[in-house]
Amino acid sequence: MYRHFYGLNERPFNLTPDPRFLFLSENHRGALEHLIYGIRQREGFIAITGDVGTGKTTLCRALLEKLDPKTKSALVLNPLLSEEELLRAILQDFGVPSRAQSKKGLIDDLNGFLLGQLGSGSPAVLIVDEAQDLSLPVLEQLRILSNLETTKEKLLQIVLMGQNELRDKLALPALRQLNQRISVRYHIRPLQPDEVPRYILHRLMVAGARGGVSFSQDALERISRESQGIPRLINLICDRALLAGYVERARTIGASLVDRAVQSLQGEAPAPPRAQTRSRRWPAAAGIGGAVLVASLLILGVWGGWFEWSAERSTAPASSRTAASLARDYVFDESFPYTITVSRLEAVKDVVQTVRKLEALGIEVYLWTQEAPGQPARTWVFVGKFKTRPEAEQARAAFVTKTGVGEAEVVAVQGLREQGTAGR
């Protein structure tokens, strides 16, 4: 949405664990060096801990990119597995076919694979993310896997990445044998106040910033204080601040915009990970007049008839559902002469709240700002692009039914242009 306005190639503060955006603070650099050292020295168990949102998963991705090409790796992202499911997940990620029906058979298959790797000089690494959620039996199973060794070295290096609770869990008497085998430990701390501005600048540069946007000193201090140096919170605040800045057409993000961003995020602070249910997938769509129209109709529940919204809703925290912003600049396209207007707003906070509510429902949102000399800027909130009015009316009916936004109406793009509002 704000990407084109600020001249960015991509969103700089996305929450996905893209290793290109990893900012190596002194603490994060130390964690990465400990990981690489432990793996190269075949230390067996390595435990990396850190508070929620400090960048552990991104560090995992960066580690995988820095491993020797000969190193075979397996990454387990779902900690809610049984012992047998864990073994099967490890074999699958290593690319090892197995028809074993018992844990012993699965371990034998894994042992055979690891011995083959040792013979070819290719080490094997298992990384388990969100390890604080592993059950005690599964952690004990991992300890047993560490017994796979020769007289000289371990066959499998195991990295446990988890929140602070992992340290408490490892200290339990029932896991004392596992705890004693962890030879490399490191705790990731939040960023220091002087590192926050460098973190923000780093992500902007990776996203392709060329001077189109900047943060004032007051804004940077406010972000540091509100986020307490936690990268995920920094990302959320900065993303919302850029959205607010875009609505106001501000090239410099000041403290007031950061305050609005924080206010818009109240009640959306990241929550501890929860089990997620599988959502139904939409069927593949075809032959309905273009990808943009297909996406719009699928989101609104219209495609060759009516589709009910999935009864199985994701249980992910609201922040993770709304952070992947779907909103974008509305570009007038003669091929799609109709759209649906949701509202026309002047206040930044109203725009942010409206976008947030629609995104939480997974609805594709477009913004277009109308500016006129001597008048306050107004931002139109649009939903979808459509080739014909009947298609748009059908989509509007579905939209109103599902959201309760009765003031939504179909408008002709040409009509807006004839009112003297040139498209951006």
Side-chain angles (χ1 to χ4, degrees), residues 101-124:
Q101 299 300 313
S102 65
K103 286 196 294 184
K104 180 182 181 306
L106 294 169
I107 292 174
D108 288 343
D109 288 343
L110 179 59
N111 189 50
F113 165 75
L114 295 175
L115 287 171
Q117 290 298 116
L118 181 65
S120 63
S122 302

PDB file of all heavy atoms in Angstrom, residues 101-124:
ATOM      1  N   GLN A 101       7.364 -48.972  10.622  1.00  0.00           N
ATOM      2  CA  GLN A 101       6.098 -48.820  11.332  1.00  0.00           C
ATOM      3  C   GLN A 101       6.291 -48.667  12.834  1.00  0.00           C
ATOM      4  O   GLN A 101       5.316 -48.567  13.574  1.00  0.00           O
ATOM      5  CB  GLN A 101       5.205 -50.031  11.059  1.00  0.00           C
ATOM      6  CG  GLN A 101       4.851 -50.208   9.592  1.00  0.00           C
ATOM      7  CD  GLN A 101       4.094 -49.012   9.027  1.00  0.00           C
ATOM      8  OE1 GLN A 101       3.138 -48.533   9.646  1.00  0.00           O
ATOM      9  NE2 GLN A 101       4.516 -48.528   7.863  1.00  0.00           N
ATOM     10  N   SER A 102       7.524 -48.623  13.286  1.00  0.00           N
ATOM     11  CA  SER A 102       7.800 -48.488  14.712  1.00  0.00           C
ATOM     12  C   SER A 102       8.864 -47.435  14.930  1.00  0.00           C
ATOM     13  O   SER A 102       9.598 -47.057  14.005  1.00  0.00           O
ATOM     14  CB  SER A 102       8.282 -49.828  15.292  1.00  0.00           C
ATOM     15  OG  SER A 102       9.542 -50.185  14.719  1.00  0.00           O
ATOM     16  N   LYS A 103       8.958 -46.952  16.176  1.00  0.00           N
ATOM     17  CA  LYS A 103       9.994 -45.960  16.480  1.00  0.00           C
ATOM     18  C   LYS A 103      11.387 -46.548  16.267  1.00  0.00           C
ATOM     19  O   LYS A 103      12.280 -45.861  15.772  1.00  0.00           O
ATOM     20  CB  LYS A 103       9.840 -45.471  17.926  1.00  0.00           C
ATOM     21  CG  LYS A 103       8.660 -44.536  18.129  1.00  0.00           C
ATOM     22  CD  LYS A 103       8.761 -43.782  19.435  1.00  0.00           C
ATOM     23  CE  LYS A 103       8.654 -44.705  20.623  1.00  0.00           C
ATOM     24  NZ  LYS A 103       8.658 -43.947  21.897  1.00  0.00           N
ATOM     25  N   LYS A 104      11.576 -47.803  16.645  1.00  0.00           N
ATOM     26  CA  LYS A 104      12.882 -48.441  16.454  1.00  0.00           C
ATOM     27  C   LYS A 104      13.243 -48.467  14.968  1.00  0.00           C
ATOM     28  O   LYS A 104      14.386 -48.158  14.584  1.00  0.00           O
ATOM     29  CB  LYS A 104      12.878 -49.852  17.001  1.00  0.00           C
ATOM     30  CG  LYS A 104      14.227 -50.575  16.822  1.00  0.00           C
ATOM     31  CD  LYS A 104      14.176 -51.992  17.319  1.00  0.00           C
ATOM     32  CE  LYS A 104      15.539 -52.672  17.160  1.00  0.00           C
ATOM     33  NZ  LYS A 104      16.076 -52.596  15.780  1.00  0.00           N
ATOM     34  N   GLY A 105      12.278 -48.823  14.113  1.00  0.00           N
ATOM     35  CA  GLY A 105      12.554 -48.856  12.686  1.00  0.00           C
ATOM     36  C   GLY A 105      12.896 -47.484  12.140  1.00  0.00           C
ATOM     37  O   GLY A 105      13.794 -47.337  11.298  1.00  0.00           O
ATOM     38  N   LEU A 106      12.192 -46.461  12.608  1.00  0.00           N
ATOM     39  CA  LEU A 106      12.472 -45.095  12.165  1.00  0.00           C
ATOM     40  C   LEU A 106      13.863 -44.643  12.607  1.00  0.00           C
ATOM     41  O   LEU A 106      14.599 -44.008  11.838  1.00  0.00           O
ATOM     42  CB  LEU A 106      11.405 -44.140  12.717  1.00  0.00           C
ATOM     43  CG  LEU A 106       9.979 -44.342  12.179  1.00  0.00           C
ATOM     44  CD1 LEU A 106       8.981 -43.528  12.997  1.00  0.00           C
ATOM     45  CD2 LEU A 106       9.897 -43.950  10.706  1.00  0.00           C
ATOM     46  N   ILE A 107      14.224 -44.967  13.841  1.00  0.00           N
ATOM     47  CA  ILE A 107      15.555 -44.594  14.334  1.00  0.00           C
ATOM     48  C   ILE A 107      16.639 -45.334  13.559  1.00  0.00           C
ATOM     49  O   ILE A 107      17.699 -44.779  13.242  1.00  0.00           O
ATOM     50  CB  ILE A 107      15.668 -44.886  15.847  1.00  0.00           C
ATOM     51  CG1 ILE A 107      14.740 -43.940  16.629  1.00  0.00           C
ATOM     52  CG2 ILE A 107      17.102 -44.714  16.337  1.00  0.00           C
ATOM     53  CD1 ILE A 107      14.663 -44.231  18.117  1.00  0.00           C
ATOM     54  N   ASP A 108      16.386 -46.612  13.238  1.00  0.00           N
ATOM     55  CA  ASP A 108      17.358 -47.379  12.447  1.00  0.00           C
ATOM     56  C   ASP A 108      17.554 -46.743  11.074  1.00  0.00           C
ATOM     57  O   ASP A 108      18.683 -46.651  10.576  1.00  0.00           O
ATOM     58  CB  ASP A 108      16.894 -48.829  12.293  1.00  0.00           C
ATOM     59  CG  ASP A 108      17.008 -49.619  13.590  1.00  0.00           C
ATOM     60  OD1 ASP A 108      17.729 -49.153  14.493  1.00  0.00           O
ATOM     61  OD2 ASP A 108      16.373 -50.683  13.693  1.00  0.00           O
ATOM     62  N   ASP A 109      16.455 -46.305  10.441  1.00  0.00           N
ATOM     63  CA  ASP A 109      16.572 -45.648   9.133  1.00  0.00           C
ATOM     64  C   ASP A 109      17.366 -44.355   9.250  1.00  0.00           C
ATOM     65  O   ASP A 109      18.199 -44.037   8.391  1.00  0.00           O
ATOM     66  CB  ASP A 109      15.178 -45.351   8.572  1.00  0.00           C
ATOM     67  CG  ASP A 109      14.458 -46.604   8.101  1.00  0.00           C
ATOM     68  OD1 ASP A 109      15.132 -47.636   7.898  1.00  0.00           O
ATOM     69  OD2 ASP A 109      13.221 -46.555   7.950  1.00  0.00           O
ATOM     70  N   LEU A 110      17.109 -43.594  10.320  1.00  0.00           N
ATOM     71  CA  LEU A 110      17.839 -42.349  10.525  1.00  0.00           C
ATOM     72  C   LEU A 110      19.315 -42.619  10.779  1.00  0.00           C
ATOM     73  O   LEU A 110      20.191 -41.931  10.234  1.00  0.00           O
ATOM     74  CB  LEU A 110      17.234 -41.575  11.702  1.00  0.00           C
ATOM     75  CG  LEU A 110      17.905 -40.251  12.064  1.00  0.00           C
ATOM     76  CD1 LEU A 110      17.886 -39.283  10.891  1.00  0.00           C
ATOM     77  CD2 LEU A 110      17.231 -39.618  13.285  1.00  0.00           C
ATOM     78  N   ASN A 111      19.608 -43.635  11.570  1.00  0.00           N
ATOM     79  CA  ASN A 111      20.999 -43.988  11.876  1.00  0.00           C
ATOM     80  C   ASN A 111      21.746 -44.376  10.603  1.00  0.00           C
ATOM     81  O   ASN A 111      22.905 -43.984  10.394  1.00  0.00           O
ATOM     82  CB  ASN A 111      21.036 -45.115  12.895  1.00  0.00           C
ATOM     83  CG  ASN A 111      22.443 -45.378  13.413  1.00  0.00           C
ATOM     84  OD1 ASN A 111      23.147 -44.450  13.831  1.00  0.00           O
ATOM     85  ND2 ASN A 111      22.875 -46.633  13.368  1.00  0.00           N
ATOM     86  N   GLY A 112      21.085 -45.161   9.740  1.00  0.00           N
ATOM     87  CA  GLY A 112      21.720 -45.553   8.485  1.00  0.00           C
ATOM     88  C   GLY A 112      22.032 -44.353   7.613  1.00  0.00           C
ATOM     89  O   GLY A 112      23.100 -44.265   6.997  1.00  0.00           O
ATOM     90  N   PHE A 113      21.096 -43.399   7.563  1.00  0.00           N
ATOM     91  CA  PHE A 113      21.322 -42.182   6.787  1.00  0.00           C
ATOM     92  C   PHE A 113      22.495 -41.383   7.349  1.00  0.00           C
ATOM     93  O   PHE A 113      23.364 -40.910   6.596  1.00  0.00           O
ATOM     94  CB  PHE A 113      20.053 -41.338   6.797  1.00  0.00           C
ATOM     95  CG  PHE A 113      20.254 -39.910   6.350  1.00  0.00           C
ATOM     96  CD1 PHE A 113      20.436 -39.597   5.010  1.00  0.00           C
ATOM     97  CD2 PHE A 113      20.276 -38.877   7.285  1.00  0.00           C
ATOM     98  CE1 PHE A 113      20.626 -38.286   4.605  1.00  0.00           C
ATOM     99  CE2 PHE A 113      20.467 -37.566   6.884  1.00  0.00           C
ATOM    100  CZ  PHE A 113      20.645 -37.265   5.545  1.00  0.00           C
ATOM    101  N   LEU A 114      22.547 -41.238   8.672  1.00  0.00           N
ATOM    102  CA  LEU A 114      23.606 -40.443   9.302  1.00  0.00           C
ATOM    103  C   LEU A 114      24.977 -41.082   9.113  1.00  0.00           C
ATOM    104  O   LEU A 114      25.980 -40.388   8.915  1.00  0.00           O
ATOM    105  CB  LEU A 114      23.295 -40.261  10.790  1.00  0.00           C
ATOM    106  CG  LEU A 114      22.037 -39.433  11.105  1.00  0.00           C
ATOM    107  CD1 LEU A 114      21.763 -39.435  12.607  1.00  0.00           C
ATOM    108  CD2 LEU A 114      22.169 -38.008  10.590  1.00  0.00           C
ATOM    109  N   LEU A 115      25.046 -42.399   9.172  1.00  0.00           N
ATOM    110  CA  LEU A 115      26.319 -43.084   8.929  1.00  0.00           C
ATOM    111  C   LEU A 115      26.780 -42.857   7.492  1.00  0.00           C
ATOM    112  O   LEU A 115      27.981 -42.672   7.233  1.00  0.00           O
ATOM    113  CB  LEU A 115      26.175 -44.579   9.213  1.00  0.00           C
ATOM    114  CG  LEU A 115      26.070 -44.980  10.689  1.00  0.00           C
ATOM    115  CD1 LEU A 115      25.717 -46.457  10.825  1.00  0.00           C
ATOM    116  CD2 LEU A 115      27.390 -44.677  11.423  1.00  0.00           C
ATOM    117  N   GLY A 116      25.840 -42.856   6.562  1.00  0.00           N
ATOM    118  CA  GLY A 116      26.183 -42.571   5.179  1.00  0.00           C
ATOM    119  C   GLY A 116      26.698 -41.158   5.009  1.00  0.00           C
ATOM    120  O   GLY A 116      27.642 -40.909   4.255  1.00  0.00           O
ATOM    121  N   GLN A 117      26.090 -40.221   5.730  1.00  0.00           N
ATOM    122  CA  GLN A 117      26.556 -38.833   5.677  1.00  0.00           C
ATOM    123  C   GLN A 117      27.960 -38.706   6.233  1.00  0.00           C
ATOM    124  O   GLN A 117      28.791 -37.979   5.686  1.00  0.00           O
ATOM    125  CB  GLN A 117      25.608 -37.933   6.473  1.00  0.00           C
ATOM    126  CG  GLN A 117      24.243 -37.745   5.846  1.00  0.00           C
ATOM    127  CD  GLN A 117      24.318 -37.072   4.490  1.00  0.00           C
ATOM    128  OE1 GLN A 117      23.962 -37.674   3.482  1.00  0.00           O
ATOM    129  NE2 GLN A 117      24.816 -35.857   4.460  1.00  0.00           N
ATOM    130  N   LEU A 118      28.217 -39.406   7.325  1.00  0.00           N
ATOM    131  CA  LEU A 118      29.555 -39.354   7.928  1.00  0.00           C
ATOM    132  C   LEU A 118      30.590 -39.900   6.969  1.00  0.00           C
ATOM    133  O   LEU A 118      31.681 -39.332   6.822  1.00  0.00           O
ATOM    134  CB  LEU A 118      29.555 -40.166   9.231  1.00  0.00           C
ATOM    135  CG  LEU A 118      30.884 -40.182   9.991  1.00  0.00           C
ATOM    136  CD1 LEU A 118      31.240 -38.778  10.482  1.00  0.00           C
ATOM    137  CD2 LEU A 118      30.813 -41.157  11.166  1.00  0.00           C
ATOM    138  N   GLY A 119      30.245 -40.986   6.282  1.00  0.00           N
ATOM    139  CA  GLY A 119      31.181 -41.582   5.345  1.00  0.00           C
ATOM    140  C   GLY A 119      31.515 -40.676   4.171  1.00  0.00           C
ATOM    141  O   GLY A 119      32.627 -40.718   3.638  1.00  0.00           O
ATOM    142  N   SER A 120      30.571 -39.831   3.775  1.00  0.00           N
ATOM    143  CA  SER A 120      30.802 -38.915   2.660  1.00  0.00           C
ATOM    144  C   SER A 120      31.303 -37.555   3.120  1.00  0.00           C
ATOM    145  O   SER A 120      31.463 -36.636   2.310  1.00  0.00           O
ATOM    146  CB  SER A 120      29.508 -38.737   1.859  1.00  0.00           C
ATOM    147  OG  SER A 120      28.497 -38.144   2.662  1.00  0.00           O
ATOM    148  N   GLY A 121      31.546 -37.413   4.420  1.00  0.00           N
ATOM    149  CA  GLY A 121      32.047 -36.144   4.943  1.00  0.00           C
ATOM    150  C   GLY A 121      31.013 -35.048   4.989  1.00  0.00           C
ATOM    151  O   GLY A 121      31.355 -33.857   4.963  1.00  0.00           O
ATOM    152  N   SER A 122      29.725 -35.416   5.060  1.00  0.00           N
ATOM    153  CA  SER A 122      28.645 -34.434   5.100  1.00  0.00           C
ATOM    154  C   SER A 122      27.937 -34.489   6.449  1.00  0.00           C
ATOM    155  O   SER A 122      27.198 -35.442   6.709  1.00  0.00           O
ATOM    156  CB  SER A 122      27.634 -34.703   3.973  1.00  0.00           C
ATOM    157  OG  SER A 122      28.266 -34.665   2.715  1.00  0.00           O
ATOM    158  N   PRO A 123      28.158 -33.517   7.314  1.00  0.00           N
ATOM    159  CA  PRO A 123      27.488 -33.518   8.622  1.00  0.00           C
ATOM    160  C   PRO A 123      25.987 -33.304   8.487  1.00  0.00           C
ATOM    161  O   PRO A 123      25.506 -32.827   7.457  1.00  0.00           O
ATOM    162  CB  PRO A 123      28.156 -32.361   9.363  1.00  0.00           C
ATOM    163  CG  PRO A 123      28.648 -31.453   8.286  1.00  0.00           C
ATOM    164  CD  PRO A 123      29.028 -32.338   7.138  1.00  0.00           C
ATOM    165  N   ALA A 124      25.253 -33.651   9.530  1.00  0.00           N
ATOM    166  CA  ALA A 124      23.797 -33.489   9.539  1.00  0.00           C
ATOM    167  C   ALA A 124      23.385 -32.671  10.746  1.00  0.00           C
ATOM    168  O   ALA A 124      23.886 -32.885  11.856  1.00  0.00           O
ATOM    169  CB  ALA A 124      23.104 -34.851   9.552  1.00  0.00           C
TER     170      ALA A 124
END
